[in-house]
Amino acid sequence: MPPVLRGENVKRKEKITTFVFILPWLVSFCIFVLYPIVFSICVSMTDYSGLTWDMRFVGFSNYARAFKDRVFLKALSNTLLFVLITVPATTMISLLLAVLLTSGIKFKRLFQAGYFLPSVISMVVISMIWLYIYSATGPLNTLLRSLGFDVPARSWLASERTALGSIMVMDVWSAVGYYTVLFVAGLQSLPLQLYEAAKIDGATKWQIFKRITLPLLKPTILFVVSINSIRSFQIFTEIFTLTGGGPANSTQTIVHYLYDVSFRKFEMGYGSAIAYVLFFIVLAITVIQRKILKGEQL
Amino acid sequence: MRVLIYALLIFFLVISLLPTFLMFSTAFVPEGDLFNRTIEKIMSDFEAPRTVLLMRVRPIGKTFELVKEDQNSFARLDSAKGVKGLAFSIGSSDINRLSHVVFKLRSSSTLRMVVSFKDIKENVERFAEIVIDPTPSWKTMRVDVEAKKMKLDVLHVSQLRMEIEGDGILDIDDVTLVNRYPTLYNFVKILREDYFGRYLLNSTIVSVCSVLGNLFFCSLVAYAFARKQFRMKELLFSLVLSTMMIPPQVTIIPTFILMRKLNLINTYWALILPNLVTPFGIFLMRQYFEQLPTELDQAARMDGAGDFRIFWNILLPLSKPALSVLGINTFVLTWNDVFYPLILTTSREMRTVQIGLALYQKLNVFTWPTLMAASTIAGLPIIIVFLIFEKRIISGILEGAIKS
C-alpha cells in the first residue's frame, strides 16, 4: 500500500475524531443558539401569536410598534434609569471596598467572602428577603419608626414613587460583592514598582490612587461597567417576583415586558422584536467597550 | 486611619450579611415577624366587659361568674351553680406550633381539671388532666401541648376547653397559649403544604445532570480546541466566546416553541438540554488543557492510545481543579436559574425550587415566617456550597472575567 494513501486515511480519521469531539457543542449551538437567533428574526417580522401556527408577514411594523408603544417606552426608560443609577453606584462602592480590602488589612478573605455571599444567593430568594424588609410592618419601617421618622404604613414596593428606587437599592446590595472580587483581582495585578517609585517621590495616598491606580485600573473598570450594564439591561427576576411591573408600570422593564407580551398576552412576534431591540442594545455596549479598550492599547 | 478602614469594612459587612440573617432568624419565628413575634396569644385575661367576653369565652354548663377584685377581673366557676367549665374559641388554628398553655388559678377544694381541644369537625380530644389542690393564693399552671400525638385535626382547631370535675369554687385568670420559639414548624409546614420537597428534587436532578453534562461535554469540546488542528478553529472558538454575549431572552421564544413541538415542556429534558454544553465551560477547560504539557499525550500516543483514551485517562484526571471550578459554578448557575425554568415548565410538579418559591409567594396567602422558611429552603443549599467551595467559586468568576 502506498504510504500517501495511508497518510490520507489517517488524515480522514483525524478529521472524523475532531468532528466527533466538537459535535456536542455543534449540536447545542445549532439548536439552542443558531436556530433561535434566525427563527427569532423571522418571527419578529410576523404577527405570530405562539398559540397557533397562523402567521402573516408584517415587515418591520413590530419594531415600529415598539417605539410607539407607551408601555414599552416606559419599560425602556425605566431600564435606562435603572442602568444609569445602579451601575455607577455599584462600581463606586465595589471599587471602594476593593481598595480597602487590598490596603494590607487582616482577615481579607473573610471580609471578601462576606461581601460576596449575596451574589451567590438566587435572585428569587433575595427578592423574598427584601419583600419582607420593605413590607409595611417590616424591618425597614420598624427601624425608621424607632429613629423617629414618620413613615406611611405601606410597603416600599407598593408606591409608584418608591418602588423602582427600592429595587435599585436591592440590586446594588446584591451585586456589589461580585464586582468587588473582580476589582480586588484587578488591583492585585497592578505593578508594585510604580507604587514604590511614587512613594519615594513623596506622593500622597490620594495622588497615588488618582494618578496611578485609576488609570491602570481602567480596563477592569470598563469591563465591570460593561458586564454590569449588560446584566442590568436584562433585569427580570426581581421585577417578576416583587412587583410584576407595577404599580402602574412604574417598575416595568424591557425583559419583564417581553415576558408579559410573549408568554401572557401571547404575541410572540412582537415579543421577538422586543428581544431583538434588547439584543442590539447589548451588542452596542459590547462594541463600545471593545472600541474603547482598543483605543487605550494603541 | 487603620481604625477607619476596619470600621468601614465592618459596616459594609454588616449591611451585606444582615438581610440574609433576617431571613434565617425570621424562619424560626412561630407567628408574626421577627420584630413583631407572636409567641404568646392571650385567650382571655377577663378584663373586658362580660358581653365582649362572651364572644370568645363560652361557658360549659351554666354561665360563669365574672368577679372583680383589686382592679383585677377573673372568672369564677362554682360547681354548686352548675358551671362545668370554659371553652375558648380560637377560630380555626393550627396548633402544631403550640408549646404549652399557661393560666392562673386558685380553688377552695380539691378539684380535677380536664384540658382538651376541639376541632372544626367537633371532635374533642383531652390532652391533660390535672389535680388542683386547694390554694388560697393565685398559682400559675402550665400544661404542655404535644400536637404530634393528637388524633384530631390539629390544623383546624376551634376551641380550647377547660372542664372541672368535683365540687368547689375555682377561679381562673390569664389563659394564654404559648408558641414554641424558635420553631422548626415553618419548614415542616412548607414542605407539607406546598410541593417544596418535589421542587428540591427537581432542582437537584436538573442541577446535577447539567453539572455532569457540562463536565463531560465541555471538556470533550475543549480537548478538540486545545489539542487538535483543524480548519476554522480560531473562528469557531471566537464563535463559542461570542455566544456568551447573547442575552438568553433572545433565544427563549424559539426554544419554547421548539420544546413545545417536541412535547418536552414540563420534562426534565427541557430544563437540562439547553444547559448541557456552555461556552463558559468550553472556554475554561480549553485554557486549562492548553497549559498542560503535550509530552504526556505524545508519550501515550506512542503507546498506541487514541484521542479518547488520552482525553479520558490522561488529561481529565489532571484537570481536577478546573473541573471542580466548572462543576461548582454550573451548579450555582443552574440552581439559581429562573427565566428558562419559568417558561419551560407549567405544571406544579415540574417547577424548580426557585420558580416554586416565586409562585408560592404570588399565589398563596403567606405569613412572613413561612415565606422566610421557604426562602431558606431555596437558598440554603447554595449558601452551604458557597461556604465550602468559596475559593473555587471566586476563581471561577475570575477565570470567566479574564476572557475579556
Side-chain angles (χ1 to χ4, degrees):
Chain A
M1 197 174 280
V4 186
L5 206 61
R6 241 179 76 195
E8 288 274 301
N9 251 342
V10 169
K11 246 187 176 171
R12 248 189 72 198
K13 218 185 135 198
E14 274 283 305
K15 265 189 182 166
I16 292 171
T17 332
T18 311
F19 183 70
V20 170
F21 270 81
I22 301 195
L23 197 63
W25 172 71
L26 217 54
V27 171
S28 153
F29 176 77
C30 291
I31 298 178
F32 295 113
V33 180
L34 195 61
Y35 145 75
I37 283 190
V38 175
F39 190 86
S40 259
I41 213 161
C42 301
V43 167
S44 77
M45 297 188 191
T46 67
D47 62 353
Y48 180 57
S49 70
L51 295 172
T52 57
W53 275 110
D54 295 335
M55 52 174 111
R56 211 158 39 90
F57 181 76
V58 294
F60 285 96
S61 71
N62 277 330
Y63 293 89
R65 179 183 159 191
F67 288 98
K68 271 183 267 164
D69 182 346
R70 288 178 67 180
V71 183
F72 177 75
L73 291 178
K74 179 78 185 157
L76 189 66
S77 74
N78 281 340
T79 314
L80 274 175
L81 192 67
F82 189 88
V83 173
L84 286 178
I85 293 177
T86 59
V87 172
T90 309
T91 311
M92 278 189 267
I93 297 174
S94 49
L95 185 57
L96 170 71
L97 285 177
V99 170
L100 293 179
L101 281 175
T102 50
S103 64
I105 51 132
K106 279 178 195 161
F107 310 116
K108 173 177 159 260
R109 262 194 63 193
L110 201 72
F111 279 116
Q112 184 172 309
Y115 301 142
F116 191 77
L117 184 70
S119 17
V120 288
I121 302 176
S122 84
M123 212 42 184
V124 180
V125 174
I126 287 178
S127 302
M128 293 307 152
I129 301 175
W130 287 80
L131 185 71
Y132 169 50
I133 292 178
Y134 285 140
S135 66
T137 58
L140 183 62
N141 276 352
T142 311
L143 176 76
L144 289 176
R145 273 195 208 106
S146 71
L147 292 176
F149 289 97
D150 182 31
V151 281
R154 62 152 182 254
S155 166
W156 286 76
L157 298 163
S159 149
E160 260 180 73
R161 277 174 49 218
T162 52
L164 190 63
S166 306
I167 295 179
M168 286 182 194
V169 171
M170 179 186 106
D171 182 84
V172 171
W173 171 82
S174 73
V176 157
Y178 181 88
Y179 300 106
T180 306
V181 167
L182 294 186
F183 277 132
V184 166
L187 284 169
Q188 279 171 342
S189 67
L190 300 183
L192 281 171
Q193 310 91 285
L194 278 174
Y195 286 87
E196 299 297 327
K199 261 185 207 156
I200 291 166
D201 290 348
T204 62
K205 280 198 172 162
W206 174 244
Q207 277 175 328
I208 295 180
F209 180 73
K210 216 176 124 189
R211 296 274 164 76
I212 303 178
T213 312
L214 269 189
L216 284 176
L217 208 59
K218 222 171 178 179
T220 317
I221 297 176
L222 205 61
F223 172 71
V224 163
V225 167
S226 73
I227 58 168
N228 196 4
S229 313
I230 291 174
R231 182 190 66 88
S232 301
F233 265 108
Q234 299 172 20
I235 164 180
F236 167 76
T237 310
E238 44 274 64
I239 308 292
F240 173 74
T241 38
L242 290 177
T243 61
N249 285 321
S250 64
T251 59
Q252 190 67 269
T253 63
I254 303 178
V255 177
H256 190 267
Y257 190 54
L258 184 159
Y259 170 78
D260 256 2
V261 165
S262 316
F263 299 99
R264 285 218 187 113
K265 296 181 189 146
F266 285 99
E267 292 183 66
M268 290 199 181
Y270 185 35
S272 300
I274 295 175
Y276 258 90
V277 172
L278 177 75
F279 183 49
F280 285 122
I281 294 174
V282 169
L283 198 67
I285 298 172
T286 319
V287 169
I288 293 169
Q289 183 222 0
R290 290 266 157 87
K291 276 267 159 66
I292 298 178
L293 261 187
K294 280 214 176 111
E296 290 286 308
Q297 277 157 4
L298 280 175
Chain B
M1 192 65 192
R2 263 310 75 163
V3 179
L4 187 70
I5 289 178
Y6 278 110
L8 264 175
L9 284 171
I10 290 169
F11 171 72
F12 277 106
L13 191 66
V14 170
I15 291 187
S16 149
L17 296 181
L18 192 63
T20 319
F21 170 77
L22 278 175
M23 170 182 81
F24 283 132
S25 37
T26 310
F28 297 100
V29 174
E31 273 166 49
D33 60 46
L34 191 65
F35 295 89
N36 242 324
R37 296 191 294 253
T38 331
I39 296 171
E40 286 188 348
K41 214 190 272 172
I42 295 172
M43 298 317 304
S44 185
D45 56 3
F46 301 99
E47 298 300 325
R50 193 183 175 88
T51 42
V52 178
L53 264 181
L54 280 172
M55 320 241 294
R56 281 174 285 144
V57 188
R58 298 267 163 74
I60 302 171
K62 288 244 176 72
T63 191
F64 61 90
E65 209 178 322
L66 200 59
V67 183
K68 225 178 170 93
E69 195 176 82
D70 306 337
Q71 299 184 334
N72 179 34
S73 303
F74 53 86
R76 172 162 290 171
L77 313 180
D78 189 347
S79 60
K81 290 178 184 164
V83 192
K84 282 194 194 130
L86 294 172
F88 302 87
S89 63
I90 49 179
S92 166
S93 302
D94 179 352
I95 57 165
N96 277 293
R97 287 197 185 88
L98 280 189
S99 155
H100 54 271
V101 182
V102 179
F103 49 90
K104 288 201 294 192
L105 49 77
R106 81 188 169 188
S107 102
S108 63
S109 58
T110 306
L111 291 167
R112 271 160 55 82
M113 184 192 257
V114 175
V115 192
S116 52
F117 278 122
K118 185 163 108 179
D119 67 14
I120 47 170
K121 287 175 202 135
E122 305 279 311
N123 301 315
V124 177
E125 184 170 343
R126 52 175 64 186
F127 63 94
E129 278 182 31
I130 42 179
V131 177
I132 301 158
D133 297 324
T135 45
S137 58
W138 289 103
K139 209 169 126 188
T140 305
M141 300 293 286
R142 174 189 160 136
V143 178
D144 286 339
V145 180
E146 281 183 79
K148 259 185 233 158
K149 290 184 185 156
M150 302 186 96
K151 279 183 217 76
L152 81 176
D153 187 1
V154 288
L155 297 174
H156 306 98
V157 172
S158 60
Q159 261 186 3
L160 166 71
R161 295 165 72 88
M162 298 168 136
E163 285 157 89
I164 48 169
E165 290 165 7
D167 294 327
I169 298 171
L170 180 73
D171 296 341
I172 298 185
D173 198 3
D174 296 341
V175 181
T176 309
L177 296 178
V178 183
N179 286 317
R180 281 174 217 281
Y181 177 73
T183 177
L184 283 174
Y185 181 64
N186 296 323
F187 295 93
V188 176
K189 192 174 150 88
I190 280 296
L191 289 172
R192 196 194 289 147
E193 284 185 9
D194 211 290
Y195 290 108
F196 270 86
R198 176 69 199 239
Y199 303 158
L200 277 178
L201 178 76
N202 292 342
S203 278
T204 312
I205 292 176
V206 171
S207 304
V208 167
C209 291
S210 301
V211 167
L212 294 179
N214 265 282
L215 290 183
F216 181 71
F217 290 120
C218 291
S219 7
L220 202 67
V221 176
Y223 176 85
F225 279 117
R227 287 293 198 261
K228 307 299 271 181
Q229 293 305 321
F230 53 93
R231 257 187 303 163
M232 302 192 297
K233 181 166 136 180
E234 288 314 311
L235 184 80
L236 282 179
F237 193 67
S238 57
L239 204 59
V240 172
L241 291 187
S242 59
T243 52
M244 274 199 248
M245 288 294 171
I246 298 170
Q249 294 83 17
V250 177
T251 56
I252 185 69
I253 293 174
T255 308
F256 170 77
I257 295 169
L258 178 76
M259 291 295 179
R260 209 180 45 188
K261 272 269 126 188
L262 297 173
N263 268 329
L264 289 180
I265 298 284
N266 286 327
T267 62
Y268 290 122
W269 294 112
L271 300 178
I272 296 167
L273 287 177
N275 287 325
L276 224 43
V277 196
T278 57
F280 168 72
I282 298 175
F283 168 77
L284 184 80
M285 292 315 294
R286 184 199 177 174
Q287 297 283 93
Y288 199 83
F289 285 158
E290 276 189 336
Q291 49 112 37
L292 293 175
T294 47
E295 286 82 32
L296 288 169
D297 349 349
Q298 275 155 8
R301 212 173 282 276
M302 290 293 174
D303 294 341
D307 277 306
F308 191 78
R309 284 266 306 276
I310 296 173
F311 162 72
W312 189 255
N313 290 340
I314 297 174
L315 289 193
L316 270 195
L318 287 174
S319 311
K320 274 183 195 141
L323 286 173
S324 64
V325 167
L326 174 60
I328 294 158
N329 278 281
T330 311
F331 183 82
V332 173
L333 285 179
T334 343
W335 185 276
N336 288 346
D337 194 15
V338 174
F339 201 63
Y340 266 70
L342 175 67
I343 284 158
L344 298 179
T345 61
T346 52
S347 78
R348 231 178 150 173
E349 288 73 26
M350 288 309 297
R351 286 177 196 160
T352 61
V353 72
Q354 307 301 335
I355 311 302
L357 175 61
L359 295 179
Y360 172 78
Q361 177 253 323
K362 276 177 179 282
L363 307 176
N364 291 277
V365 179
F366 59 84
T367 61
W368 291 117
T370 47
L371 186 68
M372 291 300 109
S375 306
T376 305
I377 290 175
L380 196 63
I382 289 297
I383 295 177
I384 292 173
V385 166
F386 172 69
L387 292 180
I388 302 173
F389 300 109
E390 172 251 332
K391 219 173 145 188
R392 295 263 151 86
I393 290 178
I394 288 181
S395 78
I397 282 155
L398 294 178
E399 287 288 336
I402 290 164
K403 72 172 189 290
S404 74

